[in-house]
Amino acid sequence: MKVLVTGAAGFIGAQVCKALTGAGHEVVGVDAMLTAAHGDATTPPEGVLEVDVRDASGIASLLPGVDVVCHQAAVVGAGVDASDAPNYGSHNDYGTTVLLAEMFAAGCDRLVVASSMVVYGQGGYDCPVHGPVDPLPRTQKDLDAGVFEHRCPVGGEELRWRLVGEDAPLRPRSLYAASKTAQEHYALAWAEATGGSVVALRYHNVYGPMMPRDTPYSGVAAIFRSAIERGEPPRVFEDGGQMRDFVHVTDVAAVNAAAVAADTTGFAAFNVCSGRPISIMDVATKICAAREGQPPVVTGQYRSGDVRHIVADPAAAAVVLGFRAAIDPTDGLREFAFAPLRG
Ligand code: UD1
């Protein structure tokens, strides 16, 4: 098949292109080469065209003959403050709407789109007394006292995490999350209106070689790596018990290849995760142990708006797309401790 990959020069997009080419597809890669992602590098890597998804005529010129669009281009991170909103809205939301309109015009009816677990908001929780509940937001009083778990809205008990399935309500809590949720909604509306198919891939915490270095928009694995390289111990917030699912970038590329090859109809969303939950303390410890450096420091500090636990159910992607992550975080994080970073 002929596949148009957006964000093709990025940390994830580059691996997606590699996986698709390896699977025998013809790949057309485009990237806007934004400074936030590529620093001073202004020329795209070999084989990638410098095109912004918001450029309707640029995208239109590439779509004839394309069977599937694999849309990875996005501004990422959580956003620093409200001034970031137009940037997310423009690149992620408006960009996706331009792409969908041009796909419709060109008769291209299949989209694979990079989404994120951030669309779920808080994650899933059980009360030991009241069963599955929607947690109360964490109070500053609790956080200052070192009580990091959410409380039950009925009796105030501390809650336990549970796996989040794709049918969980979408409750974005950051600018980035709002833009990813909107992107899914535009894609769903497009699928309904045009009869096209959409696979939205909700990435959990992606890590691996060429991950962007420590910036206000970086994930924690890169932040820990950057600290170690400065000769400092990684600083683990809260009590380190926050649970996540770390999925290796080559597994993310593999699920994109599976989605491109899949025969789905309408709109379908899937968690993309390793299926092996891990605490943030464990992530830091594994990276430090591999480097034989100082152990992490648990600071007890917290970031307002941070999610306590978010751990995905990998079942649907396995059943429908045949995707099972190949890399266990224990092995992947050991390798990541020495992997080259970007920027
Ligand atoms: C992250 C991304 C989110 C993305 C998602 C999936 C950011 C800011 N968040 O969400 O946009 O969609 O992964 O890939 O990029 N922590 C520390 N020490 C630090 C920094 C963070 O202990 O120095 C802790 C945080 O308190 C949090 C956990 O690590 O509990 C994860 O943080 P982070 O990777 O930033 O955000 P996620 O919420 O997992």
Side-chain angles (χ1 to χ4, degrees):
M1 277 185 285
K2 187 171 175 184
V3 187
L4 175 68
V5 178
T6 71
F11 161 51
I12 296 175
Q15 294 288 340
V16 170
C17 291
K18 211 167 143 187
L20 290 172
T21 308
H25 299 295
E26 181 190 346
V27 173
V28 180
V30 298
D31 201 293
M33 297 305 293
L34 301 180
T35 315
H38 302 282
D40 296 333
T42 47
T43 30
E46 208 188 324
V48 176
L49 303 166
E50 187 168 346
V51 178
D52 189 318
V53 283
R54 298 169 301 175
D55 168 9
S57 58
I59 289 294
S61 69
L62 297 169
L63 279 170
V66 167
D67 301 291
V68 188
V69 173
C70 193
H71 183 31
Q72 307 293 321
V75 174
V76 298
V80 176
D81 57 38
S83 67
D84 275 334
N87 205 32
Y88 286 104
S90 177
H91 287 282
N92 299 2
D93 300 339
Y94 176 66
T96 300
T97 61
V98 170
L99 184 63
L100 292 170
E102 294 311 320
M103 287 173 69
F104 173 61
C108 177
D109 62 359
R110 293 191 54 212
L111 175 72
V112 174
V113 58
S115 185
S116 168
M117 53 80 158
V118 293
V119 297
Y120 297 124
Q122 305 272 20
Y125 295 85
D126 282 327
C127 172
V129 179
H130 302 99
V133 287
D134 265 345
L136 291 172
R138 299 188 292 172
T139 63
Q140 195 171 339
K141 187 166 163 255
D142 269 353
L143 293 166
D144 286 341
V147 177
F148 297 114
E149 299 300 345
H150 281 282
R151 289 190 187 274
C152 176
V154 184
E157 297 84 357
E158 288 188 25
L159 301 180
R160 294 187 294 239
W161 62 268
R162 68 182 151 82
L163 296 182
V164 179
E166 287 82 354
D167 56 354
L170 304 190
R171 294 197 177 130
R173 300 171 68 237
S174 70
L175 297 172
Y176 173 63
S179 74
K180 282 282 146 187
T181 308
Q183 198 179 32
E184 281 201 16
H185 288 161
Y186 282 118
L188 185 151
W190 174 88
E192 298 234 324
T194 65
S197 79
V198 175
V199 175
L201 298 171
R202 294 178 180 159
Y203 301 163
H204 284 250
N205 295 65
V206 185
Y207 70 100
M210 301 310 286
M211 190 174 181
R213 268 175 212 282
D214 187 353
T215 74
Y217 305 93
S218 298
V220 71
I223 293 174
F224 287 165
R225 262 293 305 272
S226 303
I228 292 170
E229 269 150 43
R230 289 194 306 271
E232 297 165 12
R235 295 167 60 78
V236 174
F237 298 158
E238 304 187 13
D239 58 359
Q242 308 93 295
M243 295 299 290
R244 295 289 190 277
D245 188 311
F246 279 74
V247 58
H248 196 270
V249 67
T250 55
D251 279 322
V252 175
V255 76
N256 274 277
V260 163
D263 189 17
T264 58
T265 53
F267 178 92
F270 299 97
N271 286 326
V272 173
C273 55
S274 73
R276 294 152 182 116
I278 187 168
S279 72
I280 295 300
M281 184 62 190
D282 260 3
V283 170
T285 304
K286 284 186 195 311
I287 297 174
C288 287
R291 299 280 295 224
E292 296 177 357
Q294 313 171 57
V297 172
V298 179
T299 67
Q301 76 193 89
Y302 58 86
R303 295 190 304 201
S304 68
D306 255 357
V307 170
R308 174 62 180 168
H309 307 294
I310 177 142
V311 183
D313 188 339
V319 172
V320 181
L321 302 177
F323 167 73
R324 282 178 190 78
I327 301 183
D328 188 302
T330 300
D331 304 324
L333 288 167
R334 193 182 310 122
E335 172 231 70
F336 178 69
F338 298 96
L341 300 181
R342 171 191 293 258

